[in-house]
């Protein structure tokens, strides 16, 4: 439930926090956008192909995530007209499309940051502590990748942020947004559905949740069938591909319980993770933040862990824990008098 200290917001508050998040993301991500060697990443080349409407030859895992690529292509068209006038040698290259991804991803991540900031406040964090938590999340190395490269994780992080916000704020609108966006953002968004049906039932009752889920699921299936037709792929191939992710479990578990895996986990939020040690030092310290995270937060972390194990990409998928980490971090540092006033 919303914290009684969380006062209603007006649009200047939303705009200020959004610009704070955008500033934290856009600047550090620009060198990644500008200088990354795309020959090293199959993911980025795949999403560039999807943005061009080229589905044939693209991995079955990535071709069904067209929302961010479509937005990037839409943004890239006017950018290309500007490029043609300022840098005549560039429009024939992929620079406008890469810039489109950079713009869209920065805007989406700033939106996720705004939702995370507000969730921290609703859980009882001071504005300064919430801002520091936002900085802790956005200085992660994964933020730079998600914002600067042609990837779709920015939308998926926004979905996770909206899901946790929906439960903490009791927002029916946020529940609907998650039900409509989760599956098109990534097919693994299906893992969020049972969690949202249970913890989001106070925000939106089950019959309405199921109705919106049916609408979003139907649109998602129609989109997949259309993409399969464009690529000439039989629909059952995507089922086999999804089940193939189970093969990653053994690899992920071996990697998790290794020195390299431990380092990858620590690198998600870096030295900001050490604040959790302060929050775990005693029963009294744990009571400052664990009740606010609650069972819903623990459940969301379980879903993040499932993503990590199924994908084999421990660090990037672990970054989806950002909404829960930010709440815990902000409440821990809020207990210091300097950040409470």
């Amino acid at each position: 439930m919303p914290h009684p200290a969380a006062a209603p917001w007006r649009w200047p508050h939303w705009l200020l926090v959004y610009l704070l998040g955008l500033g934290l993301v856009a600047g550090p991500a620009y060198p990644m956008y500008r200088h990354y060697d795309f020959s090293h990443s199959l993911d980025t080349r795949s999403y560039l192909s999807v943005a061009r409407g080229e589905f044939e030859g693209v991995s079955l895992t990535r071709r069904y995530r067209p929302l961010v690529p479509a937005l990037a292509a839409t943004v890239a068209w006017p950018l290309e007209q500007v490029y043609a006038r300022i840098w005549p040698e560039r429009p024939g290259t992929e620079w406008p499309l890469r810039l489109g991804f950079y713009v869209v991803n920065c805007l989406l991540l700033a939106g996720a940051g705004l939702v995370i900031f507000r969730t921290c406040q609703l859980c009882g964090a001071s504005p300064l502590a919430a801002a520091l938590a936002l900085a802790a999340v956005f200085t992660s190395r994964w933020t730079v990748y998600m914002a600067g490269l042609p990837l779709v994780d920015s939308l998926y992080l926004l979905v996770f942020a909206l899901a946790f916000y929906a439960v903490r704020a009791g927002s029916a609108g946020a529940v609907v947004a998650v039900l409509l966006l989760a599956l098109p953002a990534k097919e693994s968004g299906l893992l969020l559905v049972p969690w949202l049906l249970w913890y989001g039932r106070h925000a939106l009752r089950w019959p309405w949740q199921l109705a919106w889920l049916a609408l979003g699921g139907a649109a998602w299936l129609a989109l997949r069938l259309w993409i399969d037709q464009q690529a000439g792929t039989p629909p059952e191939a995507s089922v086999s591909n999804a089940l193939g992710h189970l093969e990653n479990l053994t690899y992920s578990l071996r990697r998790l319980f290794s020195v390299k895996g431990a380092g990858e986990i620590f690198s998600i939020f870096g030295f900001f993770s050490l604040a959790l040690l302060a929050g775990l030092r005693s029963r009294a310290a744990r009571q400052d933040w664990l009740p606010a995270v609650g069972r819903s937060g623990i459940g969301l972390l379980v879903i993040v862990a499932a993503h990590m194990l199924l994908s084999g990409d421990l660090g990037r998928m672990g970054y989806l824990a950002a909404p829960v980490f930010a709440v815990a971090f902000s409440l821990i540092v809020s207990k210091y008098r300097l950040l409470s006033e």
Side-chain angles (χ1 to χ4, degrees), residues 146-201:
M146 292 180 182
L149 299 181
L151 297 172
V152 300
D153 300 273
S154 58
L155 178 60
Y156 206 41
L157 178 64
L158 177 58
V159 167
F160 270 72
L162 283 170
F164 198 42
Y165 172 81
V167 172
R168 305 310 300 166
S171 171
V175 172
V176 171
V178 173
L179 292 173
L180 292 178
L181 291 174
L183 293 177
K186 278 192 178 182
E187 59 282 355
S188 52
L190 190 62
L191 296 174
L192 267 175
V193 172
W195 178 90
L196 192 61
L197 285 171
W198 180 254
Y199 290 109
R201 68 191 188 281

Side-chain angles (χ1 to χ4, degrees), residues 318-336:
Y319 186 66
L320 295 173
V324 179
F325 173 81
V327 167
F329 181 90
S330 65
L331 292 178
I332 291 170
V333 300
S334 283
K335 298 306 170 182
Y336 292 91

Side-chain angles (χ1 to χ4, degrees), residues 41-271:
S41 173
L42 178 60
D43 283 21
T44 56
R45 299 198 303 274
S46 295
Y47 290 126
L48 286 169
S49 296
V50 172
R52 293 191 295 266
E54 301 168 359
F55 299 102
E56 189 174 358
V58 175
S59 163
L60 290 174
T61 302
R62 305 180 189 96
R63 67 170 61 167
Y64 301 120
R65 305 165 182 172
L67 294 186
V68 173
L71 288 173
T74 302
V75 171
W77 186 85
L79 292 176
E80 189 170 4
Q81 311 313 307
V82 175
Y83 266 57
R85 294 179 179 274
I86 301 176
W87 295 291
E89 72 280 3
R90 282 191 177 180
T93 70
E94 290 183 334
W95 280 106
L97 195 53
R98 294 179 185 179
L99 181 56
F101 270 100
Y102 168 73
V103 170
V104 169
N105 283 330
C106 286
L107 294 175
L108 289 173
L109 283 172
L114 174 60
V115 175
I116 289 171
F117 182 97
R118 187 56 176 161
T119 306
C120 291
Q121 279 203 302
L122 290 172
C123 291
S126 66
L128 184 54
L132 187 57
L134 189 59
V137 166
F138 279 165
T139 52
S140 168
R141 70 187 183 107
W142 293 110
T143 311
V144 175
Y145 280 91
M146 292 180 182
L149 299 181
L151 297 172
V152 300
D153 300 273
S154 58
L155 178 60
Y156 206 41
L157 178 64
L158 177 58
V159 167
F160 270 72
L162 283 170
F164 198 42
Y165 172 81
V167 172
R168 305 310 300 166
S171 171
V175 172
V176 171
V178 173
L179 292 173
L180 292 178
L181 291 174
L183 293 177
K186 278 192 178 182
E187 59 282 355
S188 52
L190 190 62
L191 296 174
L192 267 175
V193 172
W195 178 90
L196 192 61
L197 285 171
W198 180 254
Y199 290 109
R201 68 191 188 281
H202 300 299
L204 189 65
R205 291 185 299 173
W206 281 343
W208 289 107
Q209 282 203 54
L210 292 173
W212 283 107
L213 177 62
L215 178 62
W220 176 60
L221 288 174
L223 179 64
R224 290 174 69 95
L225 289 173
W226 178 79
I227 291 173
D228 285 337
Q229 290 177 353
Q230 300 301 307
T233 304
E236 59 271 15
S238 61
V239 178
S240 302
N241 179 71
L243 294 175
H245 282 74
L246 295 174
E247 299 175 359
N248 290 330
L249 287 173
T250 304
Y251 165 79
S252 298
L253 286 171
R254 285 202 308 266
R255 188 173 181 181
L256 180 63
F257 295 105
S258 67
V259 175
K260 184 176 181 180
E264 188 170 354
I265 297 299
F266 178 78
S267 73
I268 297 173
F269 300 112
F271 288 97

